[in-house]
Amino acid sequence: DGMNVLFIVVDDLRPVLGCYGDKLVKSPNIDQLASQSVVFSNAYAQQAVCAPSRVSFLTGRRPDTTRLYDFYSYWRVHAGNYSTMPQYFKENGYVTLSVGKVFHPGVSSNYNDDYPYSWSIPPFHPSTEKYENDKTCRGKDGKLYANLVCPVDVTEMPSGTLPDIQSTEEAIRLLNVMKANKQKFFLAVGYHKPHIPLRYPQEFLKLYPLENITLAPDPWVPEKLPSVAYNPWTDIRQRDDVKALNVSFPYGPLPDDFQRQIRQSYYAAVSYLDMQVGLLLNALDDVGLSNRTIVVFTADHGWSLGEHGEWAKYSNFDVATRVPLMFYVPGMTTSSVRQGERVFPYLDPFSPILGLVPQGRSKKVVELVSLFSTLAELAGLQVPPACPETSFHVALCAEGASIVRYFNASEEKVEEEKNGCDDTYRCFNEEPVAFSQYPRPGDTPQWNSDKPKLKDIRIMGYSMRTIDYRYTVWVRFYPNNFSADFEDVHAGELYMVETDPNQDYNIYNNTSHGGFFKTILG
């Protein structure tokens, strides 16, 4: 009677994980999940900021169709009454449950996480979420601050806990209820860390001695980076510890030793997250449902850790748009699991652990907007039809095609037949492309460059990533009718992956790129 779905989405997690080849991080539980999953090493978000990305992958539509580029509108009112992935599962007989940050809270999900459309019961939010930005970080002087870098003693925190710990406990409770009631479920669990502030149990710092932490490989602003492409990381500048450094706007830079502290705390927060994921998956074993539950693990977007002299998300670079993405499907990504067999024994991040490698790896370029179709197909539901060119009036359709076809494809198979295809992201035979975009209020970095409100957007950066290159054009955008003028190009970027994997050398001005431009117009 169909598989359950456990959908884990993490806030601001770039793929700094052992299963993605990171040598420093301790992420044994996520790596163990990867060892039973197909892992996509080139997966990209459609916009590198929380609400637009989440509404995009939960509806299966791109930001130009949800018309959400900021935090301040609800798609059902503002764009079209689009069905969501959890809604579709609910309409197909699943109990749908939301724990933690799944939809972005606030107006963009109608102040109720799109309940009751998407969820069978009201979504759960941890009670201690409200203290996230309070002064809970103890400084060297013993006083409390609202810092960016914030290792804490959990026993001193309000209610003696942290939001992600509460989310894990609630998700485990719901697994037990579903097991007892023998109900088929779609359980979405949204973790906050490593979103800022980097507030996590202080014992995780010992996994990352500061002397082992390096700077980003390219901690400078690239010489040929158009100013419109730069994000001035205003959110971290507002934290007490960053404010005290009195760094110049917009380019900084932050002092080297503080850069290393941010990177250290990001890693520590990832290991704290890994522990939560480990406890959750161990509970799936405990209730005996690992043999009939699909597990998806991903993030809403990445986060710059000093690359290009940038921090946070808010850009079109890989560091901001690339996400981890893996699918565990019993009997498909692994041989069938016997009832009661343990697939996910909890692994302690503080113990030495053998490196676990992904079960299957795909280098295909894929997009989060494909999640809706992919999960429908994996669960044996009818895959939503592909959206027509304009789909504001269509309640159920998807702009991202299912990627199940890549699960078993051997990497060596050269894709022939490039003919008969005009719609890039739905074409099975063409080299796949991931599209991302980012709005800006003007050509130069200003106080609202990272998060411009719709009415202030003047330029949209449309970006496409293939296996070989990232190409971005920054064009005039009109917020009153949501239109972009591709004749009015303000700036462009082109990076070749093979020779410039970190995207530091923009060759847009010394390359002819008519072919790329045609594809982006596609």
Side-chain angles (χ1 to χ4, degrees), residues 105-124:
V107 66
S108 65
S109 56
N110 204 29
Y111 299 100
N112 56 14
D113 301 83
D114 198 45
Y115 174 79
Y117 296 104
S118 286
W119 310 109
S120 304
I121 62 172
F124 169 87

PDB file of all heavy atoms in Angstrom, residues 105-124:
ATOM      1  N   PRO A 105       7.892  30.440   7.620  1.00  0.00           N
ATOM      2  CA  PRO A 105       6.736  30.971   8.351  1.00  0.00           C
ATOM      3  C   PRO A 105       6.418  32.413   7.945  1.00  0.00           C
ATOM      4  O   PRO A 105       7.251  33.090   7.348  1.00  0.00           O
ATOM      5  CB  PRO A 105       7.180  30.908   9.814  1.00  0.00           C
ATOM      6  CG  PRO A 105       8.672  30.811   9.785  1.00  0.00           C
ATOM      7  CD  PRO A 105       9.057  30.198   8.478  1.00  0.00           C
ATOM      8  N   GLY A 106       5.195  32.865   8.241  1.00  0.00           N
ATOM      9  CA  GLY A 106       4.818  34.248   7.928  1.00  0.00           C
ATOM     10  C   GLY A 106       3.875  34.319   6.748  1.00  0.00           C
ATOM     11  O   GLY A 106       3.248  33.332   6.366  1.00  0.00           O
ATOM     12  N   VAL A 107       3.804  35.514   6.147  1.00  0.00           N
ATOM     13  CA  VAL A 107       2.819  35.749   5.091  1.00  0.00           C
ATOM     14  C   VAL A 107       3.021  34.819   3.898  1.00  0.00           C
ATOM     15  O   VAL A 107       2.056  34.406   3.253  1.00  0.00           O
ATOM     16  CB  VAL A 107       2.806  37.241   4.662  1.00  0.00           C
ATOM     17  CG1 VAL A 107       4.096  37.656   4.001  1.00  0.00           C
ATOM     18  CG2 VAL A 107       1.651  37.523   3.702  1.00  0.00           C
ATOM     19  N   SER A 108       4.261  34.420   3.602  1.00  0.00           N
ATOM     20  CA  SER A 108       4.510  33.623   2.386  1.00  0.00           C
ATOM     21  C   SER A 108       3.902  32.220   2.467  1.00  0.00           C
ATOM     22  O   SER A 108       3.808  31.526   1.458  1.00  0.00           O
ATOM     23  CB  SER A 108       6.014  33.533   2.073  1.00  0.00           C
ATOM     24  OG  SER A 108       6.691  32.822   3.084  1.00  0.00           O
ATOM     25  N   SER A 109       3.497  31.791   3.671  1.00  0.00           N
ATOM     26  CA  SER A 109       2.720  30.537   3.779  1.00  0.00           C
ATOM     27  C   SER A 109       1.430  30.810   4.565  1.00  0.00           C
ATOM     28  O   SER A 109       0.934  29.956   5.291  1.00  0.00           O
ATOM     29  CB  SER A 109       3.559  29.428   4.417  1.00  0.00           C
ATOM     30  OG  SER A 109       4.050  29.825   5.686  1.00  0.00           O
ATOM     31  N   ASN A 110       0.907  32.047   4.421  1.00  0.00           N
ATOM     32  CA  ASN A 110      -0.390  32.445   4.982  1.00  0.00           C
ATOM     33  C   ASN A 110      -0.431  32.374   6.509  1.00  0.00           C
ATOM     34  O   ASN A 110      -1.482  32.144   7.103  1.00  0.00           O
ATOM     35  CB  ASN A 110      -1.517  31.582   4.377  1.00  0.00           C
ATOM     36  CG  ASN A 110      -2.862  32.275   4.441  1.00  0.00           C
ATOM     37  OD1 ASN A 110      -2.942  33.502   4.410  1.00  0.00           O
ATOM     38  ND2 ASN A 110      -3.933  31.499   4.551  1.00  0.00           N
ATOM     39  N   TYR A 111       0.704  32.600   7.159  1.00  0.00           N
ATOM     40  CA  TYR A 111       0.832  32.595   8.630  1.00  0.00           C
ATOM     41  C   TYR A 111       0.458  31.255   9.279  1.00  0.00           C
ATOM     42  O   TYR A 111       0.331  31.166  10.489  1.00  0.00           O
ATOM     43  CB  TYR A 111      -0.013  33.720   9.271  1.00  0.00           C
ATOM     44  CG  TYR A 111       0.414  35.090   8.810  1.00  0.00           C
ATOM     45  CD1 TYR A 111      -0.289  35.763   7.814  1.00  0.00           C
ATOM     46  CD2 TYR A 111       1.544  35.698   9.351  1.00  0.00           C
ATOM     47  CE1 TYR A 111       0.109  37.014   7.378  1.00  0.00           C
ATOM     48  CE2 TYR A 111       1.957  36.959   8.919  1.00  0.00           C
ATOM     49  CZ  TYR A 111       1.244  37.600   7.934  1.00  0.00           C
ATOM     50  OH  TYR A 111       1.654  38.840   7.506  1.00  0.00           O
ATOM     51  N   ASN A 112       0.250  30.209   8.470  1.00  0.00           N
ATOM     52  CA  ASN A 112      -0.127  28.919   9.057  1.00  0.00           C
ATOM     53  C   ASN A 112       0.533  27.749   8.322  1.00  0.00           C
ATOM     54  O   ASN A 112       0.005  26.641   8.333  1.00  0.00           O
ATOM     55  CB  ASN A 112      -1.655  28.765   9.062  1.00  0.00           C
ATOM     56  CG  ASN A 112      -2.231  28.918   7.657  1.00  0.00           C
ATOM     57  OD1 ASN A 112      -1.496  28.870   6.673  1.00  0.00           O
ATOM     58  ND2 ASN A 112      -3.533  29.099   7.563  1.00  0.00           N
ATOM     59  N   ASP A 113       1.678  28.018   7.675  1.00  0.00           N
ATOM     60  CA  ASP A 113       2.399  26.960   6.943  1.00  0.00           C
ATOM     61  C   ASP A 113       1.502  26.261   5.932  1.00  0.00           C
ATOM     62  O   ASP A 113       1.607  25.052   5.730  1.00  0.00           O
ATOM     63  CB  ASP A 113       2.986  25.922   7.911  1.00  0.00           C
ATOM     64  CG  ASP A 113       3.954  26.538   8.900  1.00  0.00           C
ATOM     65  OD1 ASP A 113       3.502  27.078   9.934  1.00  0.00           O
ATOM     66  OD2 ASP A 113       5.156  26.503   8.635  1.00  0.00           O
ATOM     67  N   ASP A 114       0.592  27.029   5.317  1.00  0.00           N
ATOM     68  CA  ASP A 114      -0.309  26.485   4.298  1.00  0.00           C
ATOM     69  C   ASP A 114      -1.226  25.378   4.848  1.00  0.00           C
ATOM     70  O   ASP A 114      -1.690  24.521   4.108  1.00  0.00           O
ATOM     71  CB  ASP A 114       0.478  25.978   3.077  1.00  0.00           C
ATOM     72  CG  ASP A 114      -0.423  25.826   1.845  1.00  0.00           C
ATOM     73  OD1 ASP A 114      -1.224  26.740   1.579  1.00  0.00           O
ATOM     74  OD2 ASP A 114      -0.327  24.785   1.162  1.00  0.00           O
ATOM     75  N   TYR A 115      -1.489  25.414   6.148  1.00  0.00           N
ATOM     76  CA  TYR A 115      -2.494  24.525   6.736  1.00  0.00           C
ATOM     77  C   TYR A 115      -3.864  25.168   6.515  1.00  0.00           C
ATOM     78  O   TYR A 115      -3.968  26.378   6.580  1.00  0.00           O
ATOM     79  CB  TYR A 115      -2.208  24.370   8.242  1.00  0.00           C
ATOM     80  CG  TYR A 115      -3.262  23.594   9.002  1.00  0.00           C
ATOM     81  CD1 TYR A 115      -3.284  22.202   8.954  1.00  0.00           C
ATOM     82  CD2 TYR A 115      -4.236  24.257   9.758  1.00  0.00           C
ATOM     83  CE1 TYR A 115      -4.252  21.489   9.645  1.00  0.00           C
ATOM     84  CE2 TYR A 115      -5.209  23.542  10.441  1.00  0.00           C
ATOM     85  CZ  TYR A 115      -5.210  22.162  10.382  1.00  0.00           C
ATOM     86  OH  TYR A 115      -6.169  21.449  11.053  1.00  0.00           O
ATOM     87  N   PRO A 116      -4.930  24.428   6.231  1.00  0.00           N
ATOM     88  CA  PRO A 116      -5.029  22.973   6.152  1.00  0.00           C
ATOM     89  C   PRO A 116      -4.816  22.393   4.754  1.00  0.00           C
ATOM     90  O   PRO A 116      -4.951  21.188   4.585  1.00  0.00           O
ATOM     91  CB  PRO A 116      -6.470  22.721   6.595  1.00  0.00           C
ATOM     92  CG  PRO A 116      -7.222  23.919   6.073  1.00  0.00           C
ATOM     93  CD  PRO A 116      -6.254  25.071   6.131  1.00  0.00           C
ATOM     94  N   TYR A 117      -4.476  23.218   3.748  1.00  0.00           N
ATOM     95  CA  TYR A 117      -4.271  22.658   2.402  1.00  0.00           C
ATOM     96  C   TYR A 117      -3.215  21.563   2.412  1.00  0.00           C
ATOM     97  O   TYR A 117      -3.429  20.468   1.911  1.00  0.00           O
ATOM     98  CB  TYR A 117      -3.821  23.741   1.416  1.00  0.00           C
ATOM     99  CG  TYR A 117      -4.830  24.835   1.154  1.00  0.00           C
ATOM    100  CD1 TYR A 117      -4.681  26.086   1.726  1.00  0.00           C
ATOM    101  CD2 TYR A 117      -5.923  24.613   0.308  1.00  0.00           C
ATOM    102  CE1 TYR A 117      -5.593  27.099   1.472  1.00  0.00           C
ATOM    103  CE2 TYR A 117      -6.846  25.622   0.054  1.00  0.00           C
ATOM    104  CZ  TYR A 117      -6.678  26.868   0.636  1.00  0.00           C
ATOM    105  OH  TYR A 117      -7.575  27.859   0.392  1.00  0.00           O
ATOM    106  N   SER A 118      -2.034  21.887   2.985  1.00  0.00           N
ATOM    107  CA  SER A 118      -0.886  20.987   2.862  1.00  0.00           C
ATOM    108  C   SER A 118      -0.797  19.922   3.945  1.00  0.00           C
ATOM    109  O   SER A 118      -0.181  18.886   3.732  1.00  0.00           O
ATOM    110  CB  SER A 118       0.414  21.798   2.854  1.00  0.00           C
ATOM    111  OG  SER A 118       0.570  22.465   1.612  1.00  0.00           O
ATOM    112  N   TRP A 119      -1.384  20.191   5.112  1.00  0.00           N
ATOM    113  CA  TRP A 119      -1.102  19.309   6.258  1.00  0.00           C
ATOM    114  C   TRP A 119      -2.385  18.777   6.890  1.00  0.00           C
ATOM    115  O   TRP A 119      -3.382  19.479   6.975  1.00  0.00           O
ATOM    116  CB  TRP A 119      -0.273  20.059   7.312  1.00  0.00           C
ATOM    117  CG  TRP A 119       0.910  20.737   6.701  1.00  0.00           C
ATOM    118  CD1 TRP A 119       1.078  22.075   6.527  1.00  0.00           C
ATOM    119  CD2 TRP A 119       2.078  20.110   6.133  1.00  0.00           C
ATOM    120  NE1 TRP A 119       2.279  22.327   5.893  1.00  0.00           N
ATOM    121  CE2 TRP A 119       2.909  21.141   5.640  1.00  0.00           C
ATOM    122  CE3 TRP A 119       2.498  18.779   6.013  1.00  0.00           C
ATOM    123  CZ2 TRP A 119       4.142  20.875   5.029  1.00  0.00           C
ATOM    124  CZ3 TRP A 119       3.719  18.521   5.391  1.00  0.00           C
ATOM    125  CH2 TRP A 119       4.534  19.558   4.909  1.00  0.00           C
ATOM    126  N   SER A 120      -2.309  17.542   7.388  1.00  0.00           N
ATOM    127  CA  SER A 120      -3.469  16.904   8.025  1.00  0.00           C
ATOM    128  C   SER A 120      -3.737  17.455   9.425  1.00  0.00           C
ATOM    129  O   SER A 120      -4.867  17.484   9.884  1.00  0.00           O
ATOM    130  CB  SER A 120      -3.246  15.393   8.135  1.00  0.00           C
ATOM    131  OG  SER A 120      -2.973  14.840   6.863  1.00  0.00           O
ATOM    132  N   ILE A 121      -2.666  17.840  10.130  1.00  0.00           N
ATOM    133  CA  ILE A 121      -2.828  18.459  11.453  1.00  0.00           C
ATOM    134  C   ILE A 121      -1.990  19.739  11.477  1.00  0.00           C
ATOM    135  O   ILE A 121      -1.065  19.886  10.660  1.00  0.00           O
ATOM    136  CB  ILE A 121      -2.398  17.502  12.604  1.00  0.00           C
ATOM    137  CG1 ILE A 121      -0.917  17.129  12.494  1.00  0.00           C
ATOM    138  CG2 ILE A 121      -3.276  16.248  12.634  1.00  0.00           C
ATOM    139  CD1 ILE A 121      -0.384  16.352  13.694  1.00  0.00           C
ATOM    140  N   PRO A 122      -2.290  20.681  12.401  1.00  0.00           N
ATOM    141  CA  PRO A 122      -1.509  21.929  12.404  1.00  0.00           C
ATOM    142  C   PRO A 122      -0.013  21.662  12.575  1.00  0.00           C
ATOM    143  O   PRO A 122       0.375  20.821  13.384  1.00  0.00           O
ATOM    144  CB  PRO A 122      -2.078  22.696  13.608  1.00  0.00           C
ATOM    145  CG  PRO A 122      -3.469  22.159  13.777  1.00  0.00           C
ATOM    146  CD  PRO A 122      -3.378  20.697  13.387  1.00  0.00           C
ATOM    147  N   PRO A 123       0.825  22.339  11.782  1.00  0.00           N
ATOM    148  CA  PRO A 123       2.279  22.140  11.875  1.00  0.00           C
ATOM    149  C   PRO A 123       2.832  22.445  13.268  1.00  0.00           C
ATOM    150  O   PRO A 123       2.301  23.300  13.981  1.00  0.00           O
ATOM    151  CB  PRO A 123       2.830  23.122  10.845  1.00  0.00           C
ATOM    152  CG  PRO A 123       1.740  23.204   9.833  1.00  0.00           C
ATOM    153  CD  PRO A 123       0.475  23.177  10.630  1.00  0.00           C
ATOM    154  N   PHE A 124       3.894  21.723  13.608  1.00  0.00           N
ATOM    155  CA  PHE A 124       4.564  21.898  14.906  1.00  0.00           C
ATOM    156  C   PHE A 124       5.739  22.859  14.759  1.00  0.00           C
ATOM    157  O   PHE A 124       6.561  22.710  13.857  1.00  0.00           O
ATOM    158  CB  PHE A 124       5.093  20.541  15.397  1.00  0.00           C
ATOM    159  CG  PHE A 124       6.017  20.649  16.595  1.00  0.00           C
ATOM    160  CD1 PHE A 124       5.504  20.664  17.883  1.00  0.00           C
ATOM    161  CD2 PHE A 124       7.401  20.734  16.428  1.00  0.00           C
ATOM    162  CE1 PHE A 124       6.350  20.762  18.995  1.00  0.00           C
ATOM    163  CE2 PHE A 124       8.253  20.835  17.528  1.00  0.00           C
ATOM    164  CZ  PHE A 124       7.719  20.834  18.817  1.00  0.00           C
TER     165      PHE A 124
END
